[in-house]
Amino acid sequence: MEQENESPPESAEANTQAPAAAVALDARRSLTRVVRKRLKKFVGLAPQVRADGNPKIIHDARVCSRRLQQAIDALFPKPRSAKVRRVRRTPRRIRRALGEWRNCDVLLDIVARQHRRTRSEAKRQAWTIVRDYLLRKRAKEVARAGKRLLREDLGDYAARAEKVLRQASDESPDVLTQRLGASVQAAWIAWQSALARAQETRAVVDLHALRIATKVLRYRTELLFEVGAKPLKAELKSLAGLQDAIGLWHDRQVFHRTVAEALARAEVLLNEMPAARLLLAELAKERSGQANEVEKIFRLATEHAGNHQMASSSEIHATSTLSAVTESPSDKT
């Protein structure tokens, strides 16, 4: 790319426009390849959910469905045809169907760690109450998810999706890249707003909103990176670390609520009062350390915003993104 900038002065304008057009066209092809790649992975994972039920498969299927939906949204902007909406709806429905199943798997893993960590037999017995509650809940969620998955026509999903892909609009590559950049910029603005709100209130609902905003920003940035905006690699690494921290905090929040639900049942309070007292004491101890977890999240978020300055970065603005990739002479002025 740098060699193109060293072309003779008389052909500078042509060399500025041609690479940009080539990269724009390549961005469209790249996006189509990304959709097909994610579609193939999703179609391969979905049947394994029914056959296996392995927690990792459940997690991977949910992540894959989210990435596929994001890619479909990027390739087919609103207003979308009925066929596109149908193709888009399938991964979303499967992800939602697996949500509580995934939560149960994560919480059972946390309970298992708590059980192994303590040497107190009384505490082990207390954690068994929560484990049994979660196992029953998981069985119900697996059955519910199984029924929802049966309602989704996965047999010919790949064929239907491929047919829709071949009918993609003739939107110009330039418009496509501008739209992708604008979507990331919009996600960045929404993320800044969510961060400011969460820092102000420290409320669980606002931290949850920051978690969602981080997820949206990461996946949109990831898509822009995959179609050619390679300077965004550092942004993605920073967002991944932040998302992991918020995800751990979120899992603990769900865990605390689930323990409370397990203990709040009449048969537990009436027949297992000593065990309930032990777990409530453990819960109080864990929740007393929440402030440190939240501060870590804000520190990572502030570092991300301060180090990368995405709001004014040329890599994020769509037109500048193309220019940064092609390194055309006009960018150096």
Side-chain angles (χ1 to χ4, degrees):
M1 288 296 184
E2 291 180 358
Q3 291 178 349
E4 293 175 354
N5 294 341
E6 297 171 359
S7 302
E10 56 269 21
S11 59
E13 182 177 355
N15 285 331
T16 299
Q17 296 175 355
V23 171
L25 181 59
D26 190 56
R28 182 166 187 78
R29 290 171 179 166
S30 296
L31 179 56
T32 304
R33 283 197 297 268
V34 168
V35 176
R36 287 196 168 100
K37 179 181 177 181
R38 295 181 178 185
L39 173 63
K40 182 179 179 180
K41 185 173 182 180
F42 174 74
V43 170
L45 281 172
Q48 295 182 52
V49 170
R50 296 176 181 171
D52 192 323
N54 183 286
K56 185 178 186 305
I57 296 296
I58 303 302
H59 170 75
D60 289 350
R62 280 174 48 79
V63 172
C64 185
S65 71
R66 187 178 291 110
R67 284 181 169 142
L68 174 59
Q69 184 182 331
Q70 191 72 57
I72 292 172
D73 288 351
L75 190 60
F76 297 96
K78 293 180 180 179
R80 302 183 180 101
S81 68
K83 290 182 179 179
V84 172
R85 292 198 302 272
R86 186 184 176 196
V87 167
R88 178 183 181 274
R89 209 159 39 228
T90 296
R92 184 185 63 186
R93 284 179 173 174
I94 288 180
R95 182 171 67 255
R96 291 179 176 178
L98 299 176
E100 287 302 316
W101 182 349
R102 179 264 177 195
N103 283 343
C104 287
D105 285 335
V106 171
L107 300 180
L108 281 166
D109 184 61
I110 296 176
V111 170
R113 292 201 302 269
Q114 296 280 12
H115 192 276
R116 290 193 301 268
R117 188 178 301 160
T118 183
R119 295 182 179 181
S120 167
E121 184 61 30
K123 286 184 180 180
R124 288 197 184 100
Q125 290 298 322
W127 284 119
T128 298
I129 295 172
V130 181
R131 183 198 63 192
D132 291 345
Y133 171 77
L134 279 168
L135 286 172
R136 287 193 292 272
K137 184 176 181 180
R138 182 183 187 275
K140 292 179 182 178
E141 293 301 334
V142 169
R144 183 179 293 113
K147 292 178 181 178
R148 291 180 181 176
L149 291 174
L150 286 174
R151 289 199 294 266
E152 296 300 323
D153 187 10
L154 294 175
D156 66 339
Y157 179 74
R160 286 190 287 110
E162 183 59 38
K163 186 176 181 180
V164 168
L165 285 178
R166 289 196 294 268
Q167 298 174 354
S169 68
D170 56 355
E171 179 185 43
S172 74
D174 287 329
V175 171
L176 169 65
T177 50
Q178 290 172 10
R179 185 163 51 74
L180 289 179
S183 73
V184 177
Q185 182 68 10
W188 163 250
I189 293 172
W191 181 86
Q192 283 184 306
S193 177
L195 174 60
R197 177 68 178 172
Q199 287 177 316
E200 178 185 356
T201 67
R202 258 56 175 186
V204 170
V205 64
D206 292 321
L207 282 160
H208 176 72
L210 176 62
R211 183 178 73 92
I212 299 301
T214 301
K215 196 175 290 188
V216 171
L217 178 58
R218 179 187 177 187
Y219 286 124
R220 289 189 185 181
T221 304
E222 181 182 73
L223 198 58
L224 194 58
F225 171 80
E226 290 196 39
V227 301
K230 300 307 179 186
L232 294 173
K233 187 173 183 178
E235 307 290 351
L236 285 172
K237 183 177 180 180
S238 176
L239 285 169
L242 175 59
Q243 187 177 340
D244 285 346
I246 305 179
L248 288 173
W249 168 86
H250 173 260
D251 288 344
R252 302 305 294 189
Q253 292 296 311
V254 177
F255 175 64
H256 296 162
R257 182 172 291 276
T258 301
V259 172
E261 290 173 356
L263 298 180
R265 294 171 295 163
E267 62 269 25
V268 174
L269 293 176
L270 292 174
N271 303 320
E272 303 288 352
M273 184 61 73
R277 288 197 187 100
L278 282 173
L279 291 187
L280 287 174
E282 289 291 303
L283 206 58
K285 187 190 303 181
E286 280 209 14
R287 291 183 70 80
S288 67
Q290 282 187 123
N292 292 333
E293 294 180 19
V294 172
E295 289 307 316
K296 179 182 178 181
I297 290 170
F298 290 147
R299 176 175 57 80
L300 290 172
T302 303
E303 287 175 359
H304 174 73
N307 291 340
H308 301 289
Q309 291 296 316
M310 291 176 66
S312 58
S313 171
S314 62
E315 291 97 341
I316 292 302
H317 192 278
T319 305
S320 299
T321 298
L322 280 178
S323 302
V325 174
T326 58
E327 295 183 354
S328 61
S330 59
D331 298 331
K332 309 302 181 182
T333 58

